[in-house]
Amino acid sequence: MSAWTNQLRFAFQPVVNLATGSVAALEPLARPEDGEVDVLTCARRCPDLDAELAALAVRAAAEQDTLLPLHVNVFAGTVAQLPDLTSLGKAVRDAGRRPWEITLDLVGPFTRVPERELLAAVAGLRDEGYRICADGVGDGDLPLRLLGELTPDLVKLDRSLCARLERDPGRQAAVAAMRQLCERVGGLLAIEGVETERQYAAVREAGVQVAQGHLFAPPSRRVVTEVYVPAAHPPAASGRPVADRPPSGPPVAQFLQPAALLPMSASAGAVRSHLTGFPEVSGVLLVDADGVPVRAIDRDRFLLSLSGRYGHALYADRPALRLADRPRTVGADATAWQVLDMIADGERDRTGDDVAVVDERGRCIGVVHLADILRALTESRVEEAARLNPLTRLPGSDAVNGEVERWIAEGREFALSWLDVDGFKQVNDGAGFAAGDELIRAVGRTLAEVAAGEPASRVGHIGGDDFLVLAEPDGLEPFARALLDVGWSAGEMPVTLSLATVVCPPGSVTGHGPAAAALAPLKKAAKELPGASWVVGRPGAARTEVRRGASARVPEPPRAVASAEGAEAPEAGGGAPAGQEGVRARG
């Protein structure tokens, strides 16, 4: 095998974290010196050769003296046939690396790969600590079902999806679907082939978190740690009121940076050599044999201790543990807000320390920097604030509509409601604009307060006196009690509110547009009831349910709407006896 290995060289392409603008990892790419030797084609047919190529990639990176994690390509068929990847494991150990510093990029074809063996092998590799990436998604033969079963830590989209992404709605929809899959399985979304700033803006807009391409840096024989990243575009608003801090927020994995790891037995002198040899490293984590952080060393405090009088003589040959702190750790599924809360509750002199991110077994997979967290959260809030209604500080219809689309894609049942003030023009004419504005603010505050107690709900202010509420069908009653069962006034003028709700089971609507269309006749029916009212229906059904409202003639909507209980509503144009309009349910 030495004949072709002597002719084989590797180039290294940076893997860029778009949230931080930094290099998150390196991908070694095999580059045969002799064009007549098609090593990759041979490796596809020979699992032993493919595993040896992966091992060579790790050894080549070790020669570069880099601390960055690695993305190592390996064919899916190789993993299925050689689940232990013995040669790769030996190379990782010989290079002083740990499995959790290696992401295995699973490359197709997948068609003839035995799925049971592949899934079992992936589970075993994960158990050792390796991270798993599904590579070339979007232009290969990886079934969506298998992709979901793999639950990859990273989904890497093929470069063909990046081409024309900024102007191709079909590609945009495909990328959005993959982003949603990643959110559900707890992975990150990556893409290859970012060549222009327009493509960069498009992938950021699509929610891609990790990228590769010549725009950042082309593959090179020497490791590149400085890459070109255009000015960042702030992420989209979350769709929740500013006063209601989202319980989720961006995932901490989005800000992951490589960690500098040394064994817990390392001496202070070894740590000092490491820090001075790698100026970009802000701290070192001392880990046990399993890769679990035991102590954390901050660069500035550590070097200051050694620089003092007799500092080097006192500490250099002694364990670095003496100058270390307890590590601050969060799980890989934590959010940026949780990291911020942990930092705020910690020691003040450690505010700027790195936070270690650990997997489910406590093994360190990277660190996050406070500056990256703060910048991303600030950008998110600035962008969100720009989309809020200036009167109520609630988001507009776009935020709620976007959430409706997500619920539809997830196959969730939801209730979309339209709330407004009865006779609002007369309120403004009779009580004045100032009183009308204060009424709208009060309604908006009430909506936000109720939404804060209903985590699944979203509220929005369309404009004027119109509001939207998205909630689970069982989560509507708190809104009705707070908005319909109380007295409202503008100045001294009594005011009532109307609420119309369309309950949409999975598959009943295809988007927020059809949901809004089904809601429109229900709003009209609610407005025709005197006093505070609430009308509920379903898309395409012939009956309505009146949950609040005095007896009145309730015209049947042009598109019939159904009661959840299936009870009859009065015929269109017909009257209803007192207390019997539609199906009446009191809160």
Side-chain angles (χ1 to χ4, degrees):
M1 202 173 285
S2 60
W4 63 263
T5 57
N6 290 337
Q7 300 169 352
L8 190 65
R9 299 292 182 269
F10 285 88
F12 300 89
Q13 184 169 39
V15 179
V16 179
N17 184 321
L18 299 184
T20 63
S22 61
V23 178
L26 294 171
E27 181 178 2
L29 302 169
R31 294 288 189 263
E33 293 290 328
D34 186 347
E36 297 179 0
V37 180
D38 192 349
V39 176
L40 295 180
T41 299
C42 296
R44 181 179 299 179
R45 296 193 294 263
C46 178
D48 289 320
L49 176 57
D50 188 34
E52 183 63 25
L53 271 179
L56 285 172
V58 173
R59 297 184 193 280
E63 294 175 1
Q64 295 287 322
D65 198 24
T66 176
L67 296 173
L68 289 167
L70 302 177
H71 281 231
V72 178
N73 292 291
V74 61
F75 287 107
T78 298
V79 173
Q81 293 184 55
L82 302 175
D84 294 332
L85 292 179
T86 305
S87 56
L88 173 63
K90 184 177 185 306
V92 171
R93 290 190 298 273
D94 292 346
R97 290 281 194 165
R98 298 165 181 81
W100 42 93
E101 297 178 79
I102 310 296
T103 296
L104 298 178
D105 285 13
L106 298 186
V107 183
F110 289 85
T111 301
R112 298 182 180 178
V113 176
E115 292 185 7
R116 181 177 299 177
E117 286 80 355
L118 176 62
L119 292 172
V122 165
L125 291 167
R126 265 212 181 94
D127 196 52
E128 291 183 46
Y130 292 100
R131 305 183 76 220
I132 303 299
C133 167
D135 199 357
V137 174
D139 197 42
D141 61 348
L142 176 57
L144 283 176
R145 171 188 50 76
L146 179 57
L147 178 61
E149 291 176 356
L150 285 170
T151 59
D153 301 285
L154 196 74
V155 172
K156 189 180 290 186
L157 302 179
D158 186 78
R159 63 177 57 248
S160 60
L161 282 173
C162 192
R164 302 194 304 279
L165 179 63
E166 69 274 15
R167 60 181 186 277
D168 189 326
R171 282 176 168 81
Q172 293 167 5
V175 175
M178 287 299 102
R179 172 62 192 267
Q180 187 175 32
L181 183 145
C182 288
E183 289 178 350
R184 296 297 296 274
V185 302
L188 296 180
L189 183 62
I191 198 166
E192 296 179 310
V194 179
E195 312 294 340
T196 68
E197 293 199 14
R198 286 189 177 183
Q199 289 177 342
Y200 170 78
V203 300
R204 284 295 304 263
E205 182 68 24
V208 175
Q209 296 147 313
V210 180
Q212 293 173 265
H214 281 65
L215 176 68
F216 309 113
S220 65
R221 292 293 172 81
R222 301 296 301 174
V223 168
V224 174
T225 57
E226 295 292 332
V227 293
Y228 170 72
V229 179
H233 294 256
S238 66
R240 294 189 66 85
V242 156
D244 178 19
R245 191 178 76 182
S248 54
V252 72
Q254 184 173 317
F255 309 99
L256 205 61
Q257 301 270 30
L261 306 178
L262 287 177
M264 57 187 296
S265 58
S267 68
V271 172
R272 181 179 182 278
S273 297
H274 198 85
L275 292 174
T276 54
F278 298 96
E280 71 279 5
V281 172
S282 57
V284 170
L285 290 171
L286 303 179
V287 297
D288 64 16
D290 295 322
V292 177
V294 177
R295 287 291 187 271
I297 294 177
D298 174 73
R299 178 189 191 90
D300 294 337
R301 291 198 301 274
F302 178 84
L303 293 179
L304 183 62
S305 296
L306 259 66
S307 64
R309 190 177 185 184
Y310 307 123
H312 188 271
L314 285 173
Y315 298 113
D317 296 326
R318 297 188 178 185
L321 286 169
R322 297 182 175 219
L323 297 174
D325 301 294
R326 288 187 176 276
R328 297 189 299 185
T329 62
V330 295
D333 58 350
T335 68
W337 283 114
Q338 289 171 326
V339 173
L340 203 58
D341 286 341
M342 183 186 66
I343 292 173
D345 292 339
E347 303 167 44
R348 289 194 175 185
D349 61 342
R350 298 189 62 194
T351 301
D353 287 12
D354 295 343
V355 175
V357 181
V358 298
D359 63 13
E360 66 280 358
R361 293 195 174 190
R363 299 172 298 203
C364 181
I365 60 174
V367 297
V368 291
H369 303 318
L370 175 62
D372 293 332
I373 296 287
L374 290 176
R375 181 170 59 250
L377 292 178
T378 300
E379 289 175 350
S380 175
R381 284 316 174 99
V382 168
E383 178 68 11
E384 183 177 1
R387 297 174 181 234
L388 301 181
N389 185 286
L391 193 61
T392 60
R393 309 301 293 165
L394 292 177
S397 58
D398 287 348
V400 178
N401 290 340
E403 194 71 4
V404 168
E405 297 287 351
R406 187 172 72 84
W407 285 32
I408 291 173
E410 293 176 358
R412 296 171 61 180
E413 184 178 32
F414 65 90
L416 183 64
S417 301
W418 192 326
L419 173 78
D420 72 346
V421 178
D422 297 325
F424 188 61
K425 184 179 185 303
Q426 286 72 30
V427 171
N428 276 337
D429 290 345
F433 287 107
D437 285 351
E438 183 52 41
L439 172 65
I440 296 302
R441 289 191 195 97
V443 172
R445 284 194 298 270
T446 302
L447 279 169
E449 289 168 2
V450 178
E454 298 290 329
S457 66
R458 297 289 185 271
V459 296
H461 185 183
I462 303 174
D465 65 322
D466 292 319
F467 298 86
L468 281 179
V469 178
L470 173 66
E472 295 175 338
D474 293 339
L476 289 169
E477 193 61 35
F479 288 98
R481 287 196 299 267
L483 295 161
L484 304 180
D485 297 349
V486 298
W488 293 92
S489 63
E492 297 182 356
M493 184 176 181
V495 174
T496 59
L497 309 180
S498 293
L499 185 66
T501 299
V502 59
V503 177
C504 300
S508 61
V509 291
T510 58
H512 71 271
L519 186 57
L522 296 170
K523 179 190 176 186
K524 181 179 178 182
K527 297 294 286 184
E528 293 183 356
L529 289 169
S533 60
W534 182 16
V535 173
V536 181
R538 293 178 180 243
R543 295 161 188 160
T544 60
E545 173 189 357
V546 179
R547 296 190 181 179
R548 300 285 196 285
S551 68
R553 298 181 63 198
V554 184
E556 192 166 70
R559 290 191 66 184
V561 193
S563 160
E565 290 82 357
E568 296 276 339
E571 294 296 327
Q580 299 295 321
E581 63 277 15
V583 176
R584 186 78 172 257
R586 295 191 181 276

